[in-house]
Amino acid sequence: MKRKPKLGQNFLVDDRARHAIVDALGDVSQRTVIEIGPGKGAITEILAGRCARLIALELDRELAPALAQRFAGQPQVQIVEADVLKTDLSTLIPTGETADVIGNLPYYITSDILLKLFDAGVAGLLDRAVVMMQREVADRVAASPGVRDYGLLSATAQMHARIDNLFTLPPGSFSPPPEVYSTVLRFEFAPRFEALNVDAAGFDRFLKQSFAQKRKTLENNLRAAGYTQSELSGRWPAGIARQARAESLELEEMATLYHALRGEA
Ligand code: SAM
């Protein structure tokens, strides 16, 4: 079976790490767990005996049937040959229930997978996810406002979930070794839109506009997005510096600005 680098195939071979990843999900004995990219089953194998139901989505046409055959005697495990990005997660979860997600992600589509998980979190489908990604991406996802790595990905992620940075693995934990270090993050889905009194679609758009160009101030990014000078001057909240960059503001401040510019404050 040929490895497919295009599919981000770096298989976990560190036994302690694969147990630690599964342990990080907590007690899943009553839970449905969705695994993204099970590959050769490093995580699947441990999880299969711990959760009520495991649905593993694998795109590779050779790996998926090989796994399905291996787990054929375990009816609680379902191996689905599918592209996670083209899969409607709601169809995998029994109506009225929630699921958890686990995965050593294919790094070439990390952001797209995260955005998909955030949407599923807003839809009330997911409680928790433990996912491994390239260390630099994890650092951006978990960064706090004001630090170098903070940006749109951090703000978006932190609007959707509480995030714990669990541990980092060197390239040698994988076969073949990737060129980067890898970090495991845990997401507890808890969308903040309601608490900040903002609509999800409108506020997501506002964040994209605010972070559009890193070298620009927030005000200049918003002007470029179509806000008029009179809206910006007349409605800018007193507590936020006119020269501020989106990267320096807390999400509460971004919500205050969002309301003010809509004439709601
Ligand atoms: N979980 C295994 C492990 O830890 O050894 C494999 C991890 S490997 C980094 C990523 C896996 O995701 C590969 O098996 C790859 O074939 C699969 N994959 C890549 N793109 C995918 C997609 N769009 N949907 C589902 N699986 C995908």
Side-chain angles (χ1 to χ4, degrees), residues 7-12 35 37-40 42-43 57-60 63 82-85 104-106 108-109:
L7 292 184
Q9 293 183 345
N10 300 97
F11 301 106
L12 189 59
E35 184 181 358
K40 295 181 176 173
I43 296 170
L57 305 173
E58 173 57 60
L59 182 59
D60 188 306
L63 290 177
D83 180 340
V84 61
L85 295 180
N104 169 13
L105 299 183
Y108 72 106
I109 46 171

Side-chain angles (χ1 to χ4, degrees), residues 225-251:
Y227 286 88
T228 64
Q229 190 55 49
S230 80
E231 280 170 332
L232 292 166
S233 296
R235 295 177 174 177
W236 198 271
I240 298 176
R242 288 295 287 271
Q243 291 304 310
R245 282 170 203 279
E247 288 79 1
S248 69
L249 296 188
E250 300 285 342
L251 288 167

Side-chain angles (χ1 to χ4, degrees), residues 199-248:
D199 63 296
F203 194 64
D204 274 344
R205 194 174 334 111
F206 182 68
L207 289 177
K208 284 197 189 93
Q209 294 169 337
S210 300
F211 286 92
Q213 289 204 36
K214 223 177 159 91
R215 58 185 175 78
K216 281 190 177 171
T217 63
L218 172 56
E219 183 172 347
N220 282 340
N221 273 326
L222 292 175
R223 189 177 296 111
Y227 286 88
T228 64
Q229 190 55 49
S230 80
E231 280 170 332
L232 292 166
S233 296
R235 295 177 174 177
W236 198 271
I240 298 176
R242 288 295 287 271
Q243 291 304 310
R245 282 170 203 279
E247 288 79 1
S248 69

Side-chain angles (χ1 to χ4, degrees), residues 97-215:
E97 290 182 24
T98 60
D100 297 321
V101 168
I102 200 163
N104 169 13
L105 299 183
Y107 293 170
Y108 72 106
I109 46 171
T110 299
S111 300
D112 289 339
I113 293 174
L114 290 179
L115 293 177
K116 186 169 183 102
L117 298 185
F118 299 154
D119 284 347
V122 169
L125 296 170
L126 302 179
D127 280 0
R128 179 180 275 197
V130 172
V131 285
M132 176 141 56
M133 62 196 74
Q134 181 175 343
R135 178 172 63 183
E136 288 74 13
V137 178
D139 286 347
R140 281 168 44 215
V141 169
S144 304
V147 308
R148 186 179 48 97
D149 284 329
Y150 188 80
L152 179 60
L153 184 60
S154 336
T156 305
Q158 292 164 37
M159 276 306 293
H160 289 85
R162 289 186 296 276
I163 300 160
D164 289 315
N165 182 325
L166 300 182
F167 53 89
T168 293
L169 297 173
S173 296
F174 304 85
S175 173
E179 283 169 9
V180 294
Y181 277 63
S182 302
T183 294
V184 178
L185 296 181
R186 180 170 50 212
F187 297 80
E188 307 272 1
F189 295 98
R192 298 181 63 192
F193 299 98
E194 216 170 298
L196 294 179
N197 196 23
V198 292
D199 63 296
F203 194 64
D204 274 344
R205 194 174 334 111
F206 182 68
L207 289 177
K208 284 197 189 93
Q209 294 169 337
S210 300
F211 286 92
Q213 289 204 36
K214 223 177 159 91
R215 58 185 175 78

